[in-house]
Amino acid sequence: QVTGMATKSGTSRVLIADDSVILNNMLKDVFEEEGFEVSQAFDGAECKTAFLKQSPDLALIDIQMPRTDGIEALRFIKSKSPETLVVLMTGVGNEQTAVKAMKLGADDYLTKPFGMPEVVSLIRRLIEARRSREENLRLKKKIRQGEKYLAHLTTIINEAIVTTDARGRIQFVNRAASRMWGYSLEELKDKDIHFLVRAEAKTLLYRDLVKDTIRTGKIEGEFHFRKKDKGSFPGYLSTSVIQEGGRPKGIVAVVADLTRLSEVERRLKQSEKLASLGK
């Protein structure tokens, strides 16, 4: 597949295909003065060859040309490189043919006679619009790659991740969170985040996790959390604010399970007591 691209210096490539030597050379001079890199063809067959050789960003093609007409040249270019821009030139009275060309993939058309500022303005507008589309696609791809990477991280880390909206309603939990509490995302979706915190711990601390996080920027500390099987586990909670457009949209909470650590501390205290009794 052939892909039209700008040169290393950022100059756009334009292919002019018209059997009128005068108009072809006039367009060449104008575009070169405007900083474009120009290649020329004087019939449809030359247009195809020049396209394959030069890989232009845009092809400006006359509909009526010997050997191969502009419609066939359009079909050929779009079959090889759909993203290459094609503008067709047509005479007065041939607008219906130009409309047909638009349906076949032409990006725009010009009716002869036209002014040089008009054609330069059109070509610049089309090229800039294509560059904007390509940049948007690159950014979307980059975002998707970042989202996939973050999604992968949430599945492999051992800490629980819980996100909420600004009202504290749970929007997402990762696999580790499901393991810790025993609930699936479907069971927790739109429940208040305090549903996961053991009632007495919440009461004793007098905390609203969401409001306090939005007010202070973060919360850190040990909490006891309530499991689906009515049991509980100790955990270290760290929260931060989710912002969008400079406004808080919710919070993200990360919880590390301290069960193993608590068990180690309990055993250590027990061994210390036994050692004291031994003495």
Side-chain angles (χ1 to χ4, degrees), residues 114-146:
F114 47 76
M116 291 300 145
E118 177 189 356
V119 67
V120 171
S121 174
L122 173 62
I123 270 55
R124 283 200 182 281
R125 187 168 67 249
L126 289 173
I127 289 175
E128 286 304 315
R130 192 188 78 165
R131 284 178 176 166
S132 295
R133 288 194 301 272
E134 289 173 345
E135 182 61 25
N136 287 336
L137 288 173
R138 279 194 294 271
L139 288 172
K140 286 178 181 178
K141 184 179 179 181
K142 191 173 181 180
I143 290 169
R144 283 196 298 269
Q145 288 172 340

Side-chain angles (χ1 to χ4, degrees), residues 194-206:
H194 297 101
F195 173 78
L196 299 175
V197 185
R198 203 167 73 182
E200 57 266 31
K202 179 191 169 189
T203 305
L204 288 170
L205 290 170
Y206 297 100

Side-chain angles (χ1 to χ4, degrees), residues 115-236:
M116 291 300 145
E118 177 189 356
V119 67
V120 171
S121 174
L122 173 62
I123 270 55
R124 283 200 182 281
R125 187 168 67 249
L126 289 173
I127 289 175
E128 286 304 315
R130 192 188 78 165
R131 284 178 176 166
S132 295
R133 288 194 301 272
E134 289 173 345
E135 182 61 25
N136 287 336
L137 288 173
R138 279 194 294 271
L139 288 172
K140 286 178 181 178
K141 184 179 179 181
K142 191 173 181 180
I143 290 169
R144 283 196 298 269
Q145 288 172 340
E147 288 174 345
K148 286 179 181 178
Y149 178 67
L150 289 174
H152 177 63
L153 284 181
T154 65
T155 63
I156 62 174
I157 65 174
N158 293 322
E159 286 75 19
I161 297 176
V162 181
T163 67
T164 78
D165 61 16
R167 297 182 302 158
R169 305 294 174 180
I170 295 170
Q171 300 302 302
F172 169 80
V173 298
N174 68 341
R175 198 175 295 171
S178 292
R179 286 197 304 269
M180 285 185 196
W181 278 279
Y183 293 101
S184 67
L185 173 59
E186 289 72 24
E187 292 174 303
L188 291 175
K189 187 81 163 65
D190 292 325
K191 279 189 167 52
D192 192 293
I193 190 172
H194 297 101
F195 173 78
L196 299 175
V197 185
R198 203 167 73 182
E200 57 266 31
K202 179 191 169 189
T203 305
L204 288 170
L205 290 170
Y206 297 100
R207 304 220 78 158
D208 183 311
L209 295 178
V210 180
K211 287 183 180 177
D212 286 358
T213 299
I214 292 174
R215 179 172 56 82
T216 64
K218 66 177 181 177
I219 290 176
E220 290 184 336
E222 292 187 23
F223 285 72
H224 274 80
F225 298 95
R226 181 176 55 191
K227 299 171 70 173
K228 184 178 181 179
D229 63 7
K230 307 302 180 184
S232 66
F233 68 92
Y236 191 86

Side-chain angles (χ1 to χ4, degrees), residues 18-36:
D18 196 309
D19 59 326
S20 167
V21 176
I22 295 174
L23 179 58
N24 200 320
N25 288 333
M26 188 183 298
L27 287 167
K28 178 179 182 292
D29 291 342
V30 169
F31 278 111
E32 285 182 341
E33 285 178 6
E34 293 290 331
F36 291 89

